[in-house]
Amino acid sequence: MSLLRRRKPPINESDKTSEASDSKPQKEREEEEEEEEEDGNGKDKNKKKIPSKIKKHEEKRPKWSCLDTCCWFIGCICVSWWLLLFLYNAMPASFPQYVTEAITGPLPDPPGVKLLKEGLKAKHPVVFVPGIVTGGLELWEGRKCAEGLFRKRLWGGTFGEVYKRPLCWVEHMSLDNETGLDPCGIRVRPVSGLVAADYFAPGYFVWAILIASLAHIGYEEKTMYMAAYDWRLSFQNTEVRDQTLSQIKSNIELMVATNGGKKAVVIPHSMGVLYFLHFMKWVEAPAPMGGGGGADWCSKHIKAVVNIGGPFLGVPKAIAGLFSAEAKDIAVARAIAPGFLDNDIFQLQTLQHVMRMSRSWDSTMSMIPRGGDTIWGGLDWSPEEGYSCSKKGERKNDTQIADQTGAASAVSQTRSANYGRIISFGKDVAEAPSSDVGRIDFRGAVKGHSAANTTCQDVWTEYHDMGFGGIRAVAEYKTYTAESIIDLLHFVAPKMMARGTAHFSFGIADNLDDPKYKHYKYWSNPLETTLPNAPEMEIFSLYGVGLPTERAYIYKLSPSAECYIPFQIDTSADDEDTCLKDGVYSVDGDETVPVLSAGFMCAKGWRGKTRFNPSGIQTYIREYSHSPPANLLEGRGTLSGAHVDIMGNFALIEDVIRVAAGASGEELGGDQVYSNIFNWSEKINLQL
Amino acid sequence: MCYCAGLLAGSRKLCYVEPAVRCSSVGFESFDQSPKIDQKLDKKEENVISANNIALEINKKRKQPRRQPKEWRCLDSCCWIIGYLCTTWWLLLFLYHCLPITLLQVPELPGVRLKREGLTALHPVVLVPGIVTGGLELWEGRPCADGLFRKRLWGGSFTEIFKRPLCWSEHLSLHNETGLDPPGIRVRAVRGLVAADYFAPGYFVWAVLIQNLAKIGYEGKNLHVVAYDWRLSFQNTEIRDHALSRLKSKIELMYITNGYKKVVVVPHSMGVIYFLHFLKWVETPPPMGGGGGPGWCAKHIKAIMNIGPAYLGVPKAVSSIFSAEGKDVAYIRAMAPGILDSEILGLQTLEHVMRVSRTWDSIVSLLPKGGETIWGNMDRSPEGGHVCDFSKKRLSQPSPSDNNVNNSDVKRGFRVKDPVKYGRIISFGKAASVLHSSQLPTFDSKEFSRTNALQNLKFSCGEAWTEYDEMSRESIQKVAANKAYTTRTLFDLLRFVAPKMMQRAEAHFSHGIADNLDDPKYSHYKYWSNPLEMKLPDAPDMEIYCLYGVGIPTERSYVYRLSPISRCKSIPYQIDSSVHGEDDSCLKGGVYFADGDDSVPVLSAGFMCAKGWRGRTRFNPSGIATYIREYRHKPPASLLEGRGIESGAHVDIMGNVALIKDILRIAAGATGKEIGGDRIHSDILRMSERINILL
């Protein structure tokens, strides 16, 4: 206001009012005045122009103050922002594409458009089964602190609430520690419909591109269905609490009926793969445990299951997550800024909170590696041994002469990582031959008791139940293979595992006809179930390769402090020859799921008529070699092979659309393999 | 003033920096030429006149803002002001977000209160939204709609209307012949609760009810919103989207997964007749029906709680088809004549509205049903003697208990002056709406012949083409010469002025009264949504509720006139908004009002529950119990209340506490008797008695 006055004819009413409203102390103003007069130069000219009448006003003439400059600056920014916004909105929608094309040359047609030109049309109804984490969750009933969040997303979307009220958020996202269901007075439910998982966060697509491409050839909501479920629950509990499996069954039946009896194409992603395995067993099992669809439900209703990045045999990442609530990313963060994650100045204790929350989620346990040492390797061998991390050389070798790998591996044997040791305490332990590792069994160890429970604020993890004795015992065992990992988890997180093992199983069945395998806890483990009797069905395994993927970890004891998670990944361990980086051994995969887990069932376990696949369902492997986006304009890339980004991979989308439009696996081109999956599968000695 | 100058400077700077946007700055320059500015600018700036100089100055200043503090100019102070405003705004916003939520005390939700009484979710609930309130999204479109894939075209913020209005109206139109999608365009109903919880941001439709249901334990598995494309005729929603099959499957699923508890259905507005259609469809054998077999409804449905039911249609639909206007539009026209009709901007808003809405079959389902028997003829109507001064009426009729007193009141009024002739739904001129029928020319539908429709398609009239362009001047005059139309002759009129639409839609809807319900022709789907031409299903345990607001003047009949002649006027008729009655008359702005909820007259909402289906009638052979629950409108006491917790208006009633309580109680297992049976404030029973219909 004071600035306005300077430009206006000086004596008028508004002048006075503005003067009155001017809150700046008189003194300060005068000081500024003086300063300016000392400034000199441009001043005289101005003074002449000001009529003498108003000289008394002149002395109150306000000057640039810091605040004013700030405001001026903000104003400028706002104005230009609005201007740009206006221009942006006025811009024709095709402009960004035009620019991109000008820079990179003409883009290929998006797959939907391309296939539409080929004459493909919507045929089979499509069912999407999202994976863990990607589905949205919304609040239906909550505590006081969550008021006003009714039907707002707690998970997915902007995650605004995480920052606003983190403790409240954690409380609402956690499940009951005993039952694995809702805590009392809290109801968080999955978002339903396509919006549940089309975008995970604004701009971060999950299913959106696939949905848009399918829409191009004529799909719409009557022929597409998102089987959204609460991914925190164990699979059977989604039925118990929300009747999700019944809903999926009813919806598939409806879509098949209203689309002239055309069978559905199911597209599960990530953990959705296991969920749908569970569903296929559930739907044919008699009520009350199952859906009572009868023995031929799957063959009547399902044309193909197109698994994208399926962790059929689990992922090692899940172990790190359960064991110490960290993964490669967190380990790296810890290496970059040591202490930051662990400090409790702000009582953040982020990792502990994350651990407490995620340990209440049963579903994370569905991803623990299955099949034990038979699949994942023992102390001294692993199916992937001989894998070399100089990726480019490896890939060339493989594609040219596949059988050389045997010889090559013999050479590099000495320097190959022992992937079988999923957790080792210390790098030396991970590398030493098994005879040198002196292990002390932890199973009987007395955990001791911790007196520090109460001092650890409100973060309580099961580790606080363990005294130093227990922690030491864990470390003394030195190294863990896939089988002993389960025991380890039982030891460090007894409650969680008690809940988990009631819903999931991680073994290999000796005799699949054993009546115990009728229990639902075996349904999501492909090594303990038989596929449904549906000889015409096809199972695809689509996944990315060419990205280093976590496979085994080197741990160390956390430095002291009782309130922390006592174990952490030893980020100092590096070794280029054995793919060891920041304490993590990596192997080929899609950054989350190793090739072994994604491909083994389709490459060997279910190939042909096996005991796991008695009706001889056709299986196909389609791998997509990862190449990073060429430039920033491409966003997350159209050739990506990463676990989630692969959903935007044009080649994959094309395959999915072709299957949905009626093509069979043969018509698609059968297997498409870049990795060593067949070699590795052969090394696995599993009765089929 | 300074702000203007600043804008000017800003726009000039724009010209300098980016010649591409010159056009946007032209307006400013012509509006505010330099002499004016000079007054405003300080003398020291007199030398700065040309745009270039200003721009240069800015550049200089940007470089050294501190060095030359004296060079305050309008642009700077503008920026400064904006900066101030923004900062304050952010500050307030920040404070607002920091506020503990408990500070803003909201009145306790009825759901919370009922939960304390011990109510819990029992029966699954299905919500059926009405016309207009459901969201529509784009699945496939023309190039002009690029980037709108799965974005809402209808509902939400409606930004696309302003950005690309023609594109928008093209995508919302349906095919003129089939009533389905035009080629290359697919607009589909939004699914899930989001489809109709809020119509626009902040304008709730079902949200309040959903929230209260959630309080007593409802969630996704036992609460479902039916999403259907409300533009289509009801049977077409099944043909195109399988909407009815989907609803059937969903109800069956909820019935099973919730422990074999029957479903409570809550339809609103047009959803009421949509669900009526569903009731018949589901029990009819395929291919026309859903093949649920007789007994499906009895097995799956506990109660139907119709909110603001438009059972017998609404007169509003007539005016919107006839001239694309309603009470509101007529008011606007009265207040600012010329704006809507001006062609300066080439808007032709009403013509576009008409063109789009005439492709929507569903509007025809809302035309008054039952003809003169229900809606009255030239001289009498069931509402005859209705007192229109709503404030007085409210005083004299505080509760339904003194209905007798009220009746005598009304009779007194009846003696004093002629009753309003509501039966004449459209009259040309006020005189025609008042005169005795013998003084009016007799109507002969044969007069309407299109043979003399000249081929004067006026392509000069912009792109808003309506069917009126095909009518010759003569026939337009002829329509007007006929003076007054009742519901019987109304259909001839509409068939004449909108032949294509009526031809399309009458294959899907019927508006008569059945003489003999056993006639096999009534098994056709076009009769299913007309309560006067269908039998309720055989479900003696089911209950039907009519919940609606009363106490708001509701459009009942219209006074029309010919539009002032202009070559390009596409719509030749408009409501004569200059016609007003005496003080307490029901005529206002060319519209006769009756009691109702602002959209649906009491007669349409209540008659079926009050008489048509009461007891065992031929329309209700199994004797399904019916209840009427009326909610008297009370405007919100203060602004804080928003749209009011005691509103009786057509949509706002969904936030009415009493109504929510009733629904929650029924959903939690109560019966109609337990919530108190009928609750009547209006004259509905007396009106129904006057209607002479064979039951």
Side-chain angles (χ1 to χ4, degrees), chain A residues 1 3 6 36 43 61 64 68 72 75 151 187 189 198 215 219-222 241, chain B residues 42 69-70 72 76 79-80 83 150 186 188 191 197 214 217-219 221 240 242:
Chain A
M1 293 230 168
L3 298 166
R6 296 182 58 206
E36 209 163 85
K43 193 93 171 106
R61 219 171 44 188
W64 281 98
D68 290 335
W72 176 82
R151 285 185 55 222
R187 282 185 295 152
R189 295 287 178 268
D198 54 350
Y219 278 92
E220 51 191 79
E221 267 186 283
K222 70 176 171 186
R241 196 192 72 181
Chain B
D42 201 344
K70 291 272 155 181
W72 270 110
D76 295 320
C79 286
W80 177 80
R150 287 185 57 218
R186 282 186 291 154
R188 294 289 179 269
R191 291 271 177 87
D197 56 349
Y218 281 92
E219 61 191 48
K221 69 176 173 187
R240 199 191 71 179
H242 310 305

Short mmCIF file of all heavy atoms in Angstrom, two decimals, chain A residues 1 3 6 36 43 61 64 68 72 75 151 187 189 198 215 219-222 241, chain B residues 42 69-70 72 76 79-80 83 150 186 188 191 197 214 217-219 221 240 242:
data_model
loop_
_atom_site.label_atom_id
_atom_site.label_comp_id
_atom_site.label_asym_id
_atom_site.label_seq_id
_atom_site.Cartn_x
_atom_site.Cartn_y
_atom_site.Cartn_z
N MET A 1 0.83 -1.20 0.00
CA MET A 1 0.00 0.00 0.00
C MET A 1 0.86 1.23 0.00
O MET A 1 0.62 2.18 -0.73
CB MET A 1 -0.84 0.01 1.27
CG MET A 1 -1.85 -1.11 1.28
SD MET A 1 -3.43 -0.45 1.66
CE MET A 1 -4.45 -1.81 1.28
N LEU A 3 3.50 1.66 -1.20
CA LEU A 3 4.12 1.86 -2.49
C LEU A 3 3.17 2.54 -3.46
O LEU A 3 3.55 3.34 -4.28
CB LEU A 3 4.55 0.53 -3.06
CG LEU A 3 5.58 -0.14 -2.16
CD1 LEU A 3 5.73 -1.58 -2.55
CD2 LEU A 3 6.87 0.60 -2.26
N ARG A 6 3.05 6.33 -3.45
CA ARG A 6 4.10 7.13 -4.07
C ARG A 6 3.75 7.52 -5.48
O ARG A 6 4.23 8.50 -6.00
CB ARG A 6 5.40 6.34 -4.06
CG ARG A 6 5.90 6.07 -2.66
CD ARG A 6 7.18 5.35 -2.71
NE ARG A 6 8.14 6.13 -3.44
CZ ARG A 6 9.16 5.60 -4.07
NH1 ARG A 6 9.28 4.30 -4.09
NH2 ARG A 6 10.02 6.34 -4.70
N GLU A 36 18.85 6.19 2.00
CA GLU A 36 18.66 6.39 0.59
C GLU A 36 19.24 7.72 0.13
O GLU A 36 19.75 7.86 -0.98
CB GLU A 36 17.18 6.33 0.24
CG GLU A 36 16.98 5.84 -1.15
CD GLU A 36 15.56 5.38 -1.33
OE1 GLU A 36 14.76 6.25 -1.62
OE2 GLU A 36 15.26 4.20 -1.13
N LYS A 43 18.48 10.39 -7.23
CA LYS A 43 17.54 10.92 -6.29
C LYS A 43 17.05 12.33 -6.66
O LYS A 43 15.86 12.60 -6.64
CB LYS A 43 18.23 10.97 -4.93
CG LYS A 43 17.33 11.21 -3.79
CD LYS A 43 16.85 9.91 -3.17
CE LYS A 43 16.14 10.27 -1.91
NZ LYS A 43 14.79 10.21 -1.83
N ARG A 61 7.78 8.65 2.91
CA ARG A 61 7.76 7.78 1.75
C ARG A 61 8.48 6.48 2.06
O ARG A 61 9.64 6.49 2.47
CB ARG A 61 8.47 8.46 0.59
CG ARG A 61 7.81 8.24 -0.73
CD ARG A 61 8.45 9.14 -1.72
NE ARG A 61 9.92 9.10 -1.56
CZ ARG A 61 10.72 9.92 -2.21
NH1 ARG A 61 10.23 10.84 -3.01
NH2 ARG A 61 12.02 9.83 -2.06
N TRP A 64 12.00 0.43 -0.23
CA TRP A 64 12.03 -1.02 -0.38
C TRP A 64 12.46 -1.63 0.95
O TRP A 64 13.56 -1.38 1.41
CB TRP A 64 13.10 -1.40 -1.39
CG TRP A 64 12.70 -1.23 -2.79
CD1 TRP A 64 12.99 -0.18 -3.59
CD2 TRP A 64 11.98 -2.13 -3.57
NE1 TRP A 64 12.49 -0.38 -4.82
CE2 TRP A 64 11.85 -1.59 -4.85
CE3 TRP A 64 11.41 -3.39 -3.32
CZ2 TRP A 64 11.18 -2.21 -5.87
CZ3 TRP A 64 10.75 -4.00 -4.34
CH2 TRP A 64 10.64 -3.42 -5.60
N ASP A 68 8.98 -6.20 1.36
CA ASP A 68 8.40 -5.78 0.09
C ASP A 68 9.06 -6.49 -1.08
O ASP A 68 8.40 -6.95 -1.99
CB ASP A 68 8.55 -4.27 -0.08
CG ASP A 68 7.65 -3.52 0.89
OD1 ASP A 68 6.64 -4.12 1.29
OD2 ASP A 68 7.98 -2.38 1.24
N TRP A 72 7.30 -8.73 -3.70
CA TRP A 72 7.41 -8.41 -5.13
C TRP A 72 7.90 -9.63 -5.90
O TRP A 72 7.38 -10.01 -6.93
CB TRP A 72 8.40 -7.25 -5.29
CG TRP A 72 8.66 -6.90 -6.71
CD1 TRP A 72 7.89 -6.12 -7.51
CD2 TRP A 72 9.77 -7.33 -7.50
NE1 TRP A 72 8.44 -6.03 -8.75
CE2 TRP A 72 9.60 -6.77 -8.78
CE3 TRP A 72 10.88 -8.11 -7.24
CZ2 TRP A 72 10.50 -6.98 -9.81
CZ3 TRP A 72 11.78 -8.33 -8.27
CH2 TRP A 72 11.59 -7.77 -9.54
N GLY A 75 5.30 -12.25 -6.04
CA GLY A 75 4.29 -11.83 -7.01
C GLY A 75 4.75 -12.09 -8.42
O GLY A 75 4.01 -12.63 -9.24
N ARG A 151 -13.19 -42.46 3.31
CA ARG A 151 -13.10 -42.80 1.89
C ARG A 151 -11.99 -42.06 1.17
O ARG A 151 -12.00 -41.92 -0.05
CB ARG A 151 -14.43 -42.60 1.18
CG ARG A 151 -15.44 -43.70 1.52
CD ARG A 151 -16.71 -43.57 0.75
NE ARG A 151 -16.44 -43.52 -0.67
CZ ARG A 151 -17.04 -42.70 -1.52
NH1 ARG A 151 -17.94 -41.88 -1.09
NH2 ARG A 151 -16.74 -42.72 -2.78
N ARG A 187 -11.27 -49.71 9.95
CA ARG A 187 -11.57 -50.47 8.74
C ARG A 187 -10.91 -49.78 7.56
O ARG A 187 -11.31 -48.69 7.17
CB ARG A 187 -13.08 -50.57 8.52
CG ARG A 187 -13.77 -51.60 9.40
CD ARG A 187 -15.22 -51.74 9.06
NE ARG A 187 -15.94 -50.51 9.35
CZ ARG A 187 -17.04 -50.13 8.71
NH1 ARG A 187 -17.52 -50.85 7.74
NH2 ARG A 187 -17.64 -49.00 9.04
N ARG A 189 -10.10 -50.44 3.60
CA ARG A 189 -10.56 -51.36 2.58
C ARG A 189 -9.94 -51.05 1.23
O ARG A 189 -9.57 -49.90 0.98
CB ARG A 189 -12.09 -51.26 2.46
CG ARG A 189 -12.83 -51.71 3.70
CD ARG A 189 -12.77 -53.21 3.84
NE ARG A 189 -13.43 -53.68 5.05
CZ ARG A 189 -12.82 -53.88 6.22
NH1 ARG A 189 -11.55 -53.65 6.32
NH2 ARG A 189 -13.48 -54.33 7.26
N ASP A 198 -4.67 -48.18 -11.40
CA ASP A 198 -4.20 -47.69 -12.70
C ASP A 198 -2.96 -46.82 -12.52
O ASP A 198 -1.99 -46.96 -13.21
CB ASP A 198 -5.30 -46.97 -13.46
CG ASP A 198 -5.95 -45.86 -12.68
OD1 ASP A 198 -5.67 -45.75 -11.47
OD2 ASP A 198 -6.72 -45.09 -13.25
N ALA A 215 -8.17 -50.35 -24.39
CA ALA A 215 -9.33 -49.55 -24.78
C ALA A 215 -9.27 -49.20 -26.26
O ALA A 215 -10.31 -49.06 -26.91
CB ALA A 215 -9.40 -48.28 -23.94
N TYR A 219 -11.85 -52.36 -25.74
CA TYR A 219 -12.21 -52.79 -24.39
C TYR A 219 -12.81 -51.62 -23.61
O TYR A 219 -12.48 -50.46 -23.84
CB TYR A 219 -10.98 -53.33 -23.65
CG TYR A 219 -10.70 -54.76 -24.01
CD1 TYR A 219 -9.84 -55.08 -25.05
CD2 TYR A 219 -11.33 -55.79 -23.33
CE1 TYR A 219 -9.60 -56.40 -25.39
CE2 TYR A 219 -11.09 -57.11 -23.67
CZ TYR A 219 -10.23 -57.41 -24.70
OH TYR A 219 -10.01 -58.71 -25.04
N GLU A 220 -13.71 -51.92 -22.72
CA GLU A 220 -14.23 -50.93 -21.80
C GLU A 220 -14.57 -51.65 -20.51
O GLU A 220 -14.22 -52.82 -20.35
CB GLU A 220 -15.45 -50.24 -22.39
CG GLU A 220 -16.49 -51.21 -22.90
CD GLU A 220 -17.55 -50.49 -23.71
OE1 GLU A 220 -17.30 -50.18 -24.89
OE2 GLU A 220 -18.61 -50.25 -23.16
N GLU A 221 -15.24 -50.96 -19.62
CA GLU A 221 -15.36 -51.55 -18.29
C GLU A 221 -16.21 -52.80 -18.25
O GLU A 221 -16.09 -53.59 -17.33
CB GLU A 221 -15.84 -50.52 -17.28
CG GLU A 221 -14.65 -49.86 -16.60
CD GLU A 221 -15.04 -48.92 -15.50
OE1 GLU A 221 -15.47 -47.79 -15.80
OE2 GLU A 221 -14.91 -49.29 -14.34
N LYS A 222 -17.06 -53.01 -19.24
CA LYS A 222 -17.83 -54.24 -19.18
C LYS A 222 -16.98 -55.45 -19.54
O LYS A 222 -17.36 -56.57 -19.27
CB LYS A 222 -19.06 -54.15 -20.08
CG LYS A 222 -18.76 -54.16 -21.56
CD LYS A 222 -20.05 -54.15 -22.36
CE LYS A 222 -19.73 -53.94 -23.83
NZ LYS A 222 -20.92 -53.79 -24.64
N ARG A 241 -12.75 -61.82 5.19
CA ARG A 241 -13.17 -60.48 5.62
C ARG A 241 -14.02 -59.77 4.56
O ARG A 241 -15.05 -59.20 4.86
CB ARG A 241 -11.94 -59.64 5.94
CG ARG A 241 -12.28 -58.40 6.74
CD ARG A 241 -11.11 -57.44 6.80
NE ARG A 241 -10.90 -56.81 5.51
CZ ARG A 241 -9.93 -55.93 5.26
NH1 ARG A 241 -9.07 -55.63 6.21
NH2 ARG A 241 -9.82 -55.38 4.07
N ASP B 42 2.82 8.04 -12.31
CA ASP B 42 3.48 9.17 -11.72
C ASP B 42 4.19 9.97 -12.80
O ASP B 42 4.46 9.50 -13.89
CB ASP B 42 4.49 8.66 -10.68
CG ASP B 42 4.83 9.73 -9.69
OD1 ASP B 42 4.54 10.90 -9.97
OD2 ASP B 42 5.38 9.39 -8.65
N PRO B 69 15.70 1.72 -6.39
CA PRO B 69 14.48 1.48 -5.63
C PRO B 69 13.39 2.47 -6.02
O PRO B 69 12.23 2.23 -5.75
CB PRO B 69 14.94 1.66 -4.19
CG PRO B 69 16.15 2.50 -4.26
CD PRO B 69 16.79 2.25 -5.57
N LYS B 70 13.75 3.58 -6.61
CA LYS B 70 12.75 4.61 -6.91
C LYS B 70 11.85 4.20 -8.06
O LYS B 70 10.81 4.79 -8.27
CB LYS B 70 13.48 5.90 -7.30
CG LYS B 70 14.20 6.51 -6.13
CD LYS B 70 13.27 7.42 -5.40
CE LYS B 70 13.72 7.55 -3.95
NZ LYS B 70 12.83 8.40 -3.20
N TRP B 72 9.63 2.39 -8.80
CA TRP B 72 8.37 1.69 -8.56
C TRP B 72 7.41 2.01 -9.67
O TRP B 72 7.09 3.16 -9.91
CB TRP B 72 7.76 2.16 -7.25
CG TRP B 72 8.22 1.35 -6.11
CD1 TRP B 72 9.03 1.76 -5.12
CD2 TRP B 72 7.88 0.02 -5.84
NE1 TRP B 72 9.24 0.75 -4.24
CE2 TRP B 72 8.54 -0.35 -4.66
CE3 TRP B 72 7.10 -0.95 -6.48
CZ2 TRP B 72 8.45 -1.60 -4.10
CZ3 TRP B 72 7.00 -2.19 -5.92
CH2 TRP B 72 7.67 -2.51 -4.75
N ASP B 76 5.36 -3.38 -10.90
CA ASP B 76 5.99 -3.84 -9.67
C ASP B 76 4.98 -3.92 -8.54
O ASP B 76 4.92 -4.91 -7.82
CB ASP B 76 7.12 -2.89 -9.28
CG ASP B 76 8.23 -2.92 -10.30
OD1 ASP B 76 8.53 -4.03 -10.77
OD2 ASP B 76 8.76 -1.86 -10.63
N CYS B 79 2.84 -6.84 -8.91
CA CYS B 79 3.54 -8.04 -8.46
C CYS B 79 3.58 -8.06 -6.94
O CYS B 79 3.36 -9.09 -6.31
CB CYS B 79 4.95 -8.07 -9.00
SG CYS B 79 5.03 -8.48 -10.73
N TRP B 80 3.81 -6.91 -6.41
CA TRP B 80 3.92 -6.81 -4.97
C TRP B 80 2.62 -7.20 -4.30
O TRP B 80 2.56 -7.97 -3.36
CB TRP B 80 4.32 -5.37 -4.64
CG TRP B 80 4.41 -5.08 -3.19
CD1 TRP B 80 5.44 -5.38 -2.35
CD2 TRP B 80 3.42 -4.43 -2.40
NE1 TRP B 80 5.16 -4.97 -1.10
CE2 TRP B 80 3.92 -4.38 -1.10
CE3 TRP B 80 2.17 -3.90 -2.67
CZ2 TRP B 80 3.21 -3.80 -0.06
CZ3 TRP B 80 1.45 -3.32 -1.66
CH2 TRP B 80 1.97 -3.27 -0.35
N GLY B 83 2.01 -10.75 -4.68
CA GLY B 83 2.88 -11.44 -3.76
C GLY B 83 2.31 -11.45 -2.36
O GLY B 83 2.25 -12.48 -1.69
N ARG B 150 -10.65 -41.71 -20.16
CA ARG B 150 -11.05 -42.02 -18.78
C ARG B 150 -11.13 -40.79 -17.90
O ARG B 150 -11.07 -40.90 -16.68
CB ARG B 150 -10.15 -43.09 -18.17
CG ARG B 150 -10.45 -44.47 -18.75
CD ARG B 150 -9.67 -45.56 -18.07
NE ARG B 150 -9.90 -45.57 -16.66
CZ ARG B 150 -8.96 -45.82 -15.75
NH1 ARG B 150 -7.74 -46.06 -16.13
NH2 ARG B 150 -9.24 -45.80 -14.49
N ARG B 186 -17.15 -43.45 -27.53
CA ARG B 186 -17.66 -44.30 -26.45
C ARG B 186 -17.58 -43.52 -25.14
O ARG B 186 -16.49 -43.24 -24.66
CB ARG B 186 -16.85 -45.59 -26.34
CG ARG B 186 -17.20 -46.63 -27.38
CD ARG B 186 -16.47 -47.92 -27.13
NE ARG B 186 -15.05 -47.77 -27.38
CZ ARG B 186 -14.10 -48.52 -26.79
NH1 ARG B 186 -14.45 -49.44 -25.92
NH2 ARG B 186 -12.83 -48.34 -27.06
N ARG B 188 -18.89 -43.75 -21.26
CA ARG B 188 -19.42 -44.79 -20.39
C ARG B 188 -19.63 -44.26 -18.98
O ARG B 188 -18.99 -43.29 -18.58
CB ARG B 188 -18.45 -45.96 -20.34
CG ARG B 188 -18.29 -46.69 -21.65
CD ARG B 188 -19.53 -47.49 -21.98
NE ARG B 188 -19.41 -48.17 -23.26
CZ ARG B 188 -19.80 -47.66 -24.43
NH1 ARG B 188 -20.32 -46.45 -24.49
NH2 ARG B 188 -19.67 -48.35 -25.54
N ARG B 191 -17.81 -46.15 -12.74
CA ARG B 191 -18.19 -47.25 -11.85
C ARG B 191 -17.86 -46.93 -10.40
O ARG B 191 -17.00 -46.11 -10.12
CB ARG B 191 -17.42 -48.50 -12.23
CG ARG B 191 -17.79 -49.10 -13.54
CD ARG B 191 -18.93 -50.08 -13.38
NE ARG B 191 -19.33 -50.59 -14.68
CZ ARG B 191 -18.76 -51.63 -15.25
NH1 ARG B 191 -17.80 -52.25 -14.64
NH2 ARG B 191 -19.15 -52.05 -16.42
N ASP B 197 -21.22 -40.10 -5.73
CA ASP B 197 -21.18 -39.58 -4.36
C ASP B 197 -21.21 -38.06 -4.36
O ASP B 197 -21.97 -37.45 -3.64
CB ASP B 197 -19.98 -40.15 -3.58
CG ASP B 197 -18.66 -39.89 -4.27
OD1 ASP B 197 -18.68 -39.48 -5.43
OD2 ASP B 197 -17.61 -40.10 -3.65
N ALA B 214 -21.75 -45.97 6.44
CA ALA B 214 -20.45 -46.50 6.87
C ALA B 214 -20.33 -46.46 8.39
O ALA B 214 -19.69 -47.32 8.98
CB ALA B 214 -19.32 -45.70 6.24
N GLY B 217 -21.39 -49.50 9.88
CA GLY B 217 -20.67 -50.70 9.50
C GLY B 217 -20.72 -51.09 8.04
O GLY B 217 -20.24 -52.15 7.69
N TYR B 218 -21.28 -50.24 7.20
CA TYR B 218 -21.30 -50.61 5.78
C TYR B 218 -19.96 -50.33 5.15
O TYR B 218 -19.24 -49.43 5.56
CB TYR B 218 -22.42 -49.86 5.05
CG TYR B 218 -23.76 -50.50 5.28
CD1 TYR B 218 -24.57 -50.09 6.32
CD2 TYR B 218 -24.17 -51.55 4.48
CE1 TYR B 218 -25.78 -50.71 6.56
CE2 TYR B 218 -25.39 -52.17 4.72
CZ TYR B 218 -26.19 -51.76 5.76
OH TYR B 218 -27.37 -52.38 5.99
N GLU B 219 -19.65 -51.09 4.12
CA GLU B 219 -18.41 -50.90 3.37
C GLU B 219 -18.60 -51.52 1.99
O GLU B 219 -19.71 -51.92 1.63
CB GLU B 219 -17.25 -51.55 4.12
CG GLU B 219 -17.44 -53.03 4.30
CD GLU B 219 -16.43 -53.62 5.28
OE1 GLU B 219 -16.25 -53.06 6.36
OE2 GLU B 219 -15.85 -54.66 4.95
N LYS B 221 -18.29 -54.24 0.55
CA LYS B 221 -18.87 -55.54 0.26
C LYS B 221 -20.38 -55.57 0.45
O LYS B 221 -21.04 -56.45 -0.07
CB LYS B 221 -18.22 -56.61 1.14
CG LYS B 221 -18.55 -56.50 2.60
CD LYS B 221 -17.94 -57.66 3.38
CE LYS B 221 -18.14 -57.42 4.87
NZ LYS B 221 -17.44 -58.42 5.66
N ARG B 240 -26.20 -52.42 -24.39
CA ARG B 240 -24.86 -51.91 -24.65
C ARG B 240 -23.87 -52.28 -23.55
O ARG B 240 -22.76 -52.69 -23.82
CB ARG B 240 -24.92 -50.38 -24.79
CG ARG B 240 -23.72 -49.81 -25.49
CD ARG B 240 -23.68 -48.31 -25.37
NE ARG B 240 -23.35 -47.90 -24.02
CZ ARG B 240 -23.23 -46.64 -23.63
NH1 ARG B 240 -23.46 -45.67 -24.49
NH2 ARG B 240 -22.92 -46.34 -22.40
N HIS B 242 -24.60 -54.16 -20.51
CA HIS B 242 -24.99 -55.23 -19.60
C HIS B 242 -25.22 -54.70 -18.18
O HIS B 242 -24.90 -55.38 -17.20
CB HIS B 242 -23.94 -56.33 -19.55
CG HIS B 242 -23.52 -56.81 -20.90
ND1 HIS B 242 -24.42 -57.27 -21.82
CD2 HIS B 242 -22.32 -56.88 -21.51
CE1 HIS B 242 -23.79 -57.61 -22.93
NE2 HIS B 242 -22.51 -57.37 -22.77
#
